Amino acid sequence: MEDRRTAGDMVASALADFALAEPDTMLIVDDDPVNRLVLGNIFSDVYRIEEAEDGREGLKSIFASPGSISAILLDYRMPHVDGLGLLEQVAAAGLLAQVPVFLISAEADGEVMRRAYELGVMDVIEKPVVPFVVRRRVLSVVELYAARRRLSGVVRDQQEELLRRAAKIIELNRSMIEALAAAIEFRDGESGEHVRRIHDITHTMLTRTELGRDLTSDEIDDISLAAIMHDVGKIAIPDAILSKPGKLTDEEYGIMKTHTLQGERLLGMIPAVADIPAFTYARDIARHHHERWDGRGYPDGLAGDEISIWAQVVSLADVYDALLSPRCYKESFSRERALAMIHEGACGTFNPALLAAFDHVEPELHRLYA
Amino acid sequence: MPGVSDVDFVAVSGMAPPGYVPREASRYFFCPSRDKELEMNRDALIAAGMDVDDALSRVLGNEMLFDRLLGLYAADGSYAGLKDALERGDLEAAEASAHALKGVSANLSLVPVRDLAMKILADTRAGDLDGARSLMPALDEAQQAALRAIG
């Protein structure tokens, strides 16, 4: 048999063709011309008939254009390559799932039949044939194959449609969360870009350093999305405090600090999203993004590893962004000054491991402010 | 002839108009090697032991195809091959020829030839050369009768 390497490639591309065109040819492989004529006559109204006088010629026809063959009628006894020999090669090429093969044989030999079924023939039909029998048995199987093709095509199309819609829904959700967070931040003079930067900084810190080693990429995506909502509690803080250009009094500061609790409360008030992972992270982050490594943060005074890693990351991201951006109560600081302040603890103490990781990716983070 | 395609004309009359070139699809309806009127010697075939109705049903009543198959039977070499193999004492070749002869005669429901071929086939598979040879005269007679009826 000719070069089988290329046969596999031809089969692969022909199988792709199956999706496009319905096969229309019946291949009859038999060394007896009378048999070929009799069988061809039975199906000539339904198929284009192709003939081969032995297994070798049959294999040539099959591999020349496997996508066009609807069914193969196969004799057993033939010179050069017999029916089982052809069957073995067709099975090895993985074609039997797409093309039904029928053994038309005078041999009542149980061993031949067993081997044929083992290799994957759909049916063994006795010779001399009774036309209505062979026609019914062949056509019902071919119809089965055609229906399976149609069904898998339909299933594939529906799957693609479902995936498209799911992606769309996820995208919409993200946009809505971003819009909500941006709208709330807008009150104290922040832009939507602050929200996006917090997301990007959090994502980078978790994917590009050891900090995220225990998290899956889906979890990191959820955390980054949750980070956006860390300050939604500010919606409960009066304008006068939120936009005050000067230093806050103790009382005002006390009220400001409640934005953590308010944020957690607000995020817990939406029953529909209560069990979505992003919102679970968001409640934690909203409440704890002002905790500090040395326990002097608020509202709970958590210390060290009591603070979840994602709350730690978001609190650092928030500080970094606040330092590098102009605010109503300060101008933007230079990069050097910001880094110095963070490391010296001017904005609260941080986990040393967190700071080390931060230093590692900070050049990349700074690009967000270019 | 307006309104009648070449194939229809041929299929109905069994005659080819001069210059007719058969199209691929018409191979089951027209035999290009025969240029005389289709004639089926039905009675002679029955007398030679052929179950003509059974044979015709196998070709879905297509008399032209049936005629062609008769011609192919007459030209088939299995009988001669069997005779030669038994004369030489070659059981393996005889088995192959007997099997082939069984097939071609069965396709045309030519019962006497088929039955004798089956018996000879069994004998060759059992290694019984004498038994096979003893059946040859009867097979010869049946085969000649068939060939005469086919004409």
Side-chain angles (χ1 to χ4, degrees):
Chain A
M1 176 71 227
E2 293 46 308
D3 185 5
R4 286 262 258 118
R5 262 184 309 110
T6 62
D9 298 330
M10 286 194 288
V11 165
S13 71
L15 289 179
D17 291 347
F18 270 118
L20 304 171
E22 280 294 302
D24 65 346
T25 300
M26 170 172 283
L27 176 65
I28 302 174
V29 189
D30 194 321
D31 59 339
D32 181 358
V34 170
N35 285 330
R36 298 199 299 266
L37 281 172
V38 168
L39 288 169
N41 184 49
I42 294 171
F43 293 101
S44 62
D45 61 329
V46 185
Y47 298 113
R48 198 189 127 253
I49 304 293
E50 199 169 309
E51 297 181 17
E53 60 183 5
D54 61 44
R56 198 166 56 187
E57 294 303 308
L59 285 168
K60 273 192 213 158
S61 293
I62 292 168
F63 289 115
S65 167
S68 68
I69 300 179
S70 241
I72 300 173
L73 304 186
L74 185 57
D75 184 27
Y76 167 56
R77 268 203 190 205
M78 292 181 292
H80 305 131
V81 178
D82 71 6
L84 288 184
L86 182 147
L87 200 48
E88 270 161 15
Q89 293 199 41
V90 169
L95 275 173
L96 287 184
Q98 269 76 26
V99 183
V101 177
F102 305 84
L103 195 66
I104 318 275
S105 178
E107 300 287 332
D109 185 343
E111 179 53 32
V112 171
M113 274 178 56
R114 189 198 61 79
R115 181 73 186 131
Y117 279 121
E118 200 174 65
L119 285 168
V121 284
M122 293 307 296
D123 205 346
V124 174
I125 300 169
E126 278 175 27
K127 264 201 288 205
V129 299
V130 179
F132 64 84
V133 170
V134 72
R135 198 175 153 94
R136 170 52 43 215
R137 282 156 80 167
V138 169
L139 290 183
S140 20
V141 172
V142 172
E143 170 56 28
L144 175 68
Y145 273 62
R148 209 158 63 187
R149 264 198 304 280
R150 277 194 303 273
L151 182 63
S152 81
V154 166
V155 167
R156 191 178 49 237
D157 290 342
Q158 286 180 342
Q159 239 171 12
E160 280 171 10
E161 181 62 19
L162 280 173
L163 284 173
R164 246 197 313 273
R165 291 199 191 174
K168 196 96 213 237
I169 289 174
I170 291 172
E171 190 51 45
L172 272 171
N173 284 345
R174 281 183 192 282
S175 307
M176 282 175 53
I177 289 171
E178 262 188 44
L180 174 67
I184 291 173
E185 302 267 1
F186 187 71
R187 285 182 60 232
D188 57 358
E190 298 297 343
S191 63
E193 280 169 25
H194 162 70
V195 157
R196 205 154 300 129
R197 282 196 301 268
I198 295 296
H199 168 275
D200 293 347
I201 293 172
T202 303
H203 195 264
T204 303
M205 291 275 287
L206 289 173
T207 47
R208 314 269 285 124
T209 75
E210 281 290 289
L211 297 174
R213 67 176 168 272
D214 295 327
L215 299 167
T216 68
S217 92
D218 276 351
E219 283 166 343
I220 293 176
D221 285 346
D222 283 337
I223 290 167
S224 307
L225 190 60
I228 289 174
M229 297 183 277
H230 68 284
D231 269 343
V232 295
K234 286 187 178 176
I235 204 171
I237 309 300
D239 267 348
I241 296 174
L242 213 49
S243 312
K244 185 178 181 185
K247 206 166 177 335
L248 297 175
T249 66
D250 286 347
E251 193 188 346
E252 287 167 342
Y253 190 54
I255 293 172
M256 180 60 133
K257 289 202 287 187
T258 63
H259 81 274
T260 53
L261 301 169
Q262 296 283 35
E264 185 194 30
R265 200 176 120 243
L266 173 62
L267 290 167
M269 278 168 66
I270 315 166
V273 299
D275 55 353
I276 290 181
F279 278 79
T280 310
Y281 288 120
R283 285 193 292 277
D284 183 344
I285 292 170
R287 186 178 180 110
H288 293 127
H289 71 280
H290 283 292
E291 301 288 354
R292 290 287 171 253
W293 187 251
D294 57 4
R296 289 162 66 179
Y298 62 89
D300 298 321
L302 301 180
D305 286 326
E306 286 173 354
I307 313 167
S308 64
I309 189 63
W310 41 87
Q312 290 186 45
V313 167
V314 173
S315 76
L316 179 54
D318 200 22
V319 163
Y320 181 64
D321 188 71
L323 290 172
L324 289 181
S325 316
R327 293 283 163 92
C328 61
Y329 50 87
K330 69 176 238 326
E331 287 175 357
S332 66
F333 294 157
S334 71
R335 182 181 179 190
E336 292 71 27
R337 186 164 174 207
L339 289 175
M341 288 177 74
I342 288 173
H343 277 285
E344 286 156 18
C347 308
T349 53
F350 293 99
N351 179 350
L354 179 71
L355 286 177
F358 169 73
D359 288 337
H360 184 65
V361 295
E362 196 274 339
E364 208 175 316
L365 299 177
H366 191 255
R367 280 205 283 274
L368 295 167
Y369 299 90
Chain B
M1 194 180 303
V4 178
S5 72
D6 277 351
V7 173
D8 296 348
F9 180 75
V10 165
V12 165
S13 74
M15 292 188 291
Y20 176 72
V21 177
R23 289 200 309 272
E24 183 193 20
S26 67
R27 65 199 294 274
Y28 297 107
F29 300 100
F30 176 67
C31 178
S33 65
R34 297 276 188 116
D35 58 1
K36 64 178 176 68
E37 277 206 34
L38 176 68
E39 182 187 295
M40 214 176 56
N41 199 348
R42 189 190 167 91
D43 295 330
L45 289 170
I46 291 175
M50 181 181 288
D51 185 344
V52 173
D53 288 333
D54 186 56
L56 271 174
S57 76
R58 190 164 297 107
V59 293
L60 302 175
N62 186 336
E63 291 190 3
M64 235 149 311
L65 178 57
F66 183 69
D67 184 52
R68 184 162 173 203
L69 296 190
L70 290 176
L72 284 171
Y73 182 83
D76 185 73
S78 323
Y79 174 77
L82 174 59
K83 193 160 175 189
D84 176 69
L86 284 178
E87 269 165 26
R88 288 181 293 114
D90 185 346
L91 274 173
E92 204 176 304
E95 184 194 340
S97 292
H99 174 86
L101 182 60
K102 181 188 98 172
V104 293
S105 56
N107 256 333
L108 285 170
S109 308
L110 191 49
V111 178
V113 174
R114 181 200 71 195
D115 289 348
L116 283 162
M118 277 171 70
K119 288 196 183 116
I120 292 174
L121 180 61
D123 281 345
T124 56
R125 283 179 174 163
D128 184 0
L129 183 59
D130 291 331
R133 278 176 173 162
S134 72
L135 293 168
M136 275 309 285
L139 178 61
D140 190 63
E141 196 182 311
Q143 175 75 351
Q144 298 313 323
L147 292 177
R148 274 195 305 273
I150 289 171

